[in-house]
């Protein structure tokens, strides 16, 4: 798959004045997938995310890894969570590769909001999370 559309989407998102997320790739929801098919799909999404991260790292340096489990726990306890992290948690993203080029937070993650929902490769941008 060509990274050019993904890079363009990340650039547009990064240029927006507000926080947001964009779906770069959406898998197929199939309730009949067996464990091997799900694993293969997850591995494909991981490879796509890694390829895009490598390309972004060429411009911005290596990403830092961000664990969203504490953010999800904060969200579930009713504490406020700022965007784009709130939406990423809602999409089932549990970890991110993140950069802060020119002071703007940019991240990539893979989410799956439920067992019968598709995987999604997501990009997010916003203010640096607190």
């Amino acid at each position: 798959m060509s990274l050019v559309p993904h890079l363009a989407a990340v650039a547009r998102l990064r240029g927006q004045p507000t926080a947001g997320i964009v779906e770069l790739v959406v898998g197929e929801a199939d309730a009949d997938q067996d464990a091997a098919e799900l694993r293969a799909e997850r591995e494909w999404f991981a490879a796509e995310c890694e390829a895009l991260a490598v390309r972004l790292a060429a411009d911005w340096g290596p990403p830092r890894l961000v664990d969203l489990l504490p953010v999800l726990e904060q969200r579930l306890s009713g504490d406020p969570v700022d965007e784009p992290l709130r939406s990423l948690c809602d999409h089932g993203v549990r970890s991110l590769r993140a950069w802060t080029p020119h002071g703007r937070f940019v991240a990539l993650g893979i989410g799956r909001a439920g067992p019968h929902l598709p995987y999604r490769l997501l990009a997010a941008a916003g203010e640096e999370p607190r």
Side-chain angles (χ1 to χ4, degrees):
M1 179 176 281
S2 171
L3 294 179
V4 173
H6 298 337
L7 293 168
V10 169
R12 283 191 303 276
L13 184 64
R14 188 173 152 244
Q16 293 178 356
T18 59
I21 65 171
V22 64
E23 295 176 335
L24 301 173
V25 181
V26 178
E28 302 218 4
D30 184 354
D32 295 329
Q33 280 182 309
D34 64 23
E37 290 170 323
L38 282 172
R39 188 172 36 259
E41 185 175 10
R42 173 77 168 115
E43 289 171 0
W44 184 89
F45 271 84
E48 283 293 302
C49 187
E50 180 62 23
L52 184 53
V54 166
R55 176 57 188 86
L56 293 174
D59 292 337
W60 301 334
R64 68 183 187 278
L65 298 179
V66 178
D67 178 8
L68 289 184
L69 186 57
V71 178
L72 178 62
E73 290 171 349
Q74 178 182 347
R75 180 137 168 72
L76 292 174
S77 72
D79 293 334
V81 174
D82 293 333
E83 290 294 350
L85 298 184
R86 180 177 56 230
S87 290
L88 289 167
C89 286
D90 291 347
H91 277 85
V93 177
R94 297 298 170 253
S95 65
L96 298 171
R97 289 174 174 86
W99 299 263
T100 310
H102 310 290
R104 182 101 166 130
F105 174 78
V106 179
L108 299 174
I110 300 166
R112 187 170 184 226
H116 300 293
L117 296 175
Y119 284 106
R120 300 173 193 285
L121 174 57
L122 302 164
E127 297 301 315
E128 182 69 27
R130 295 178 252 131

